[in-house]
Amino acid sequence: MTQSRLSYLQAFPLFAIMLVFLVIPTVMIVAVSFWDYNAFSIIPDFIWDNYDFLLTSPVTWQAYGTTFFYALTSWALTLVIGFTAAYYMAFHLRTTKAQTICFLLATIPFLTSNIIRMISWIPLLGRNGLVNQALLSMGLIDNPLEFLLYSDFSVILAFVHLYTLFMVVPIFNSMMRIDRKLVEAAIDAGASPLQVLTQVIIPLSKSGITIGTIFVFTLVMGDFITVRLMSGGLSASVGVLIYNEITLLQYPAAAAGAVTLLLTVLMMLAILFRFANIREDL
Amino acid sequence: MNTTGKRPKSFYFLTAFFALFILFLYGPTLTIGILSFQGPSGGLTFPMNGVSLHWYFKLFETQAVGDFGGSLTRSLLLALAVMITTMVISLSAGMAFRKKFRGSGLLFYLTVVSLIIPSILVSLGIGLLFNQAGVEPTWYGSAFGAHLTWTLPFGLLIMFAVFNRFDKSFEAAATDMCATRFQTLRFVVIPLILPSLVGVGLFGFTLSYDEFARTIMTSGSQNTLPLEIFGMTTNVTTPVLYALGTLTTLISFAAIVGTLATLSLLKRRRSRIQAG
């Protein structure tokens, strides 16, 4: 067998799955977004009504505003926390063993259930939760704080809790590949610790930062479950709108919302991909 | 930065920061772990009202909280199937990508897009596709495919990282000694990359076991565990929810610890072979 034919054969299963479960479903969504529907069924058609309704509804614009607010805030927080944690592991831990242990400690939560990690904030943040109990008993507040749970605060807290890992891992990965001699050279040349950080380490971690940014942005933009659970149904992101339409069986409306969301995410990715070459950064 | 000598002040500050970060990651989950041992009259928050296994027993009384046993079985079987499939297909595709072939760039970007496309879109698309094709969505059919669109990109990216560092001279040596392609794969390549392959399996298993968004439209009439838990968050207001959360977290942990133990065993065996 020739090498190229073998390559095709080896790549085929991946291609087949992506075709059947990614490409065709996406085409399907685009098609259905132009269909008509009534209370009982969806009807093949070609109408602009779904988009017309979507793009002229103030609810949509509000949801996009909320979604961008969540995405930007979560991005800024995960970046600062993730960068600091990665920097600590890469430059302050001296042995590979310590680095491995800390890296594993930070990675393991990513492999457990998101929904359970969200639920686990309830006994801490609720009206009678630990935080309120502690603040009350210390006499710092007279009444329980209401904004802790089912608010924008709890939504963003949950996003940071769930997704900071997606910043830590790629940034740590690119930091580990920085030649330590460059840092030493900078110090020898009289750079202050702050200058080393801003002029050597941050520029050389750029691709990790970009990959982390891509992850956090796309995950938050497409999320519906975190927003639904942690806002107690009080705020609506774009994902929540789509999810609500799905539960109401308004598939063409949901599909139009999904296509719009996809285009928004793809536009943002097109901008972000200019900053990193994923394939060469592995 | 410095490998010996006195630690700078920033080290202690950053150690405290990192410790807080770890506490932030694990603290809440530990809290529900503790609260799941509430006594029968205990509620969703502290203080603890006695200590018991009451809520764990409740979990197995099917009528009370839905079909916990069935959904757990389905999730475990699905995760196992996804794990094996992800390992095989990622390895195969990883091998293919070592040589340039026509369409390789397209396939690569397709796989990356699969990772960053909103999950709800994948779920909705597959659900619609199966409905329109007149095929009933099932957890072992459509949901299986939906999970693969999430696990395969991780698998492929790990394989890329592996093969970028792979020393081709081992294979060349095997070929020189008249090994067939299959023998080279079976006795040279796979043993060398086995640890990473086990890692791919771990990702496949746990990502599928905990996946909610890509399951919601694709699992048909029978729930997987994450769907069951999501249902419970809206209508269960007893610590039975925490018991379920703790139990599934323990299963995820068992998978992770088992994998890490396998990896260290592999590493030890390898260093013994190299020493002997």
Side-chain angles (χ1 to χ4, degrees), chain B residues 67-128:
Chain B
D67 184 14
F68 164 68
S71 60
L72 175 67
T73 315
R74 284 190 281 276
S75 272
L76 285 174
L77 287 175
L78 179 58
L80 271 176
V82 169
M83 174 183 94
I84 294 165
T85 317
T86 306
M87 285 165 86
V88 172
I89 296 181
S90 306
L91 173 64
S92 169
M95 304 270 294
F97 273 103
R98 297 170 72 194
K99 297 276 182 335
K100 260 260 178 280
F101 60 93
R102 266 182 58 194
S104 62
L106 182 76
L107 184 58
F108 174 75
Y109 281 108
L110 204 58
T111 316
V112 171
V113 164
S114 177
L115 190 62
I116 47 197
I117 197 170
S119 293
I120 193 164
L121 229 126
V122 178
S123 207
L124 176 63
I126 296 175
L128 285 173

Side-chain angles (χ1 to χ4, degrees), chain B:
Chain B
M1 251 171 266
N2 52 344
T3 47
T4 51
K6 216 170 141 284
R7 300 279 200 181
K9 255 198 212 107
S10 59
F11 171 78
Y12 299 99
F13 172 74
L14 285 170
T15 306
F17 179 88
F18 192 78
L20 277 178
F21 176 59
I22 295 294
L23 185 71
F24 171 65
L25 288 182
Y26 290 84
T29 318
L30 284 176
T31 315
I32 66 159
I34 295 167
L35 286 173
S36 66
F37 294 103
Q38 285 270 25
S41 58
L44 283 172
T45 52
F46 286 101
M48 293 286 279
N49 220 328
V51 176
S52 74
L53 288 174
H54 177 80
W55 302 104
Y56 286 89
F57 287 117
K58 264 273 196 272
L59 206 53
F60 290 94
E61 292 168 14
T62 29
Q63 312 93 312
V65 291
D67 184 14
F68 164 68
S71 60
L72 175 67
T73 315
R74 284 190 281 276
S75 272
L76 285 174
L77 287 175
L78 179 58
L80 271 176
V82 169
M83 174 183 94
I84 294 165
T85 317
T86 306
M87 285 165 86
V88 172
I89 296 181
S90 306
L91 173 64
S92 169
M95 304 270 294
F97 273 103
R98 297 170 72 194
K99 297 276 182 335
K100 260 260 178 280
F101 60 93
R102 266 182 58 194
S104 62
L106 182 76
L107 184 58
F108 174 75
Y109 281 108
L110 204 58
T111 316
V112 171
V113 164
S114 177
L115 190 62
I116 47 197
I117 197 170
S119 293
I120 193 164
L121 229 126
V122 178
S123 207
L124 176 63
I126 296 175
L128 285 173
L129 180 68
F130 272 64
N131 278 332
Q132 289 304 308
V135 184
E136 187 71 20
T138 51
W139 60 272
Y140 49 83
S142 43
F144 174 67
H147 285 197
L148 286 176
T149 63
W150 179 228
T151 59
L152 284 176
F154 280 102
L156 187 71
L157 291 181
I158 296 174
M159 285 335 282
F160 269 165
V162 170
F163 282 124
N164 271 355
R165 295 182 193 114
F166 190 80
D167 188 346
K168 284 187 177 138
S169 55
F170 288 111
E171 279 170 291
T175 314
D176 286 347
M177 291 163 86
C178 301
T180 62
R181 258 192 188 132
F182 179 73
Q183 284 172 322
T184 311
L185 179 69
R186 166 80 183 74
F187 296 107
V188 178
V189 178
I190 289 184
L192 281 171
I193 64 164
L194 195 56
S196 309
L197 210 52
V198 173
V200 171
L202 173 69
F203 266 86
F205 184 90
T206 55
L207 290 179
S208 162
Y209 175 72
D210 290 325
E211 180 55 28
F212 173 76
R214 292 188 193 223
T215 324
I216 191 160
M217 284 283 290
T218 57
S219 77
S221 53
Q222 289 179 305
N223 274 357
T224 60
L225 196 58
L227 294 180
E228 193 75 24
I229 297 170
F230 181 67
M232 284 175 69
T233 59
T234 53
N235 57 34
V236 176
T237 50
T238 59
V240 77
L241 186 58
Y242 297 159
L244 181 57
T246 307
L247 207 60
T248 61
T249 305
L250 286 177
I251 294 173
S252 290
F253 261 74
I256 296 166
V257 171
T259 310
L260 293 177
T262 316
L263 289 179
S264 81
L265 202 74
L266 287 172
K267 207 170 150 192
R268 217 177 308 151
R269 206 179 64 181
R270 176 175 302 174
S271 60
R272 219 176 34 232
I273 291 168
Q274 277 166 357

Side-chain angles (χ1 to χ4, degrees), chain A residues 17 21 25 37 39 60 71 88 106 128 154 188 193-194 240 250 275 281:
Chain A
I17 285 174
F21 291 101
Y37 64 98
T60 311
Y88 172 72
N128 302 310
S154 56
D188 288 346
L194 188 69
V240 170
Q250 298 171 344
F275 293 99
D281 284 330

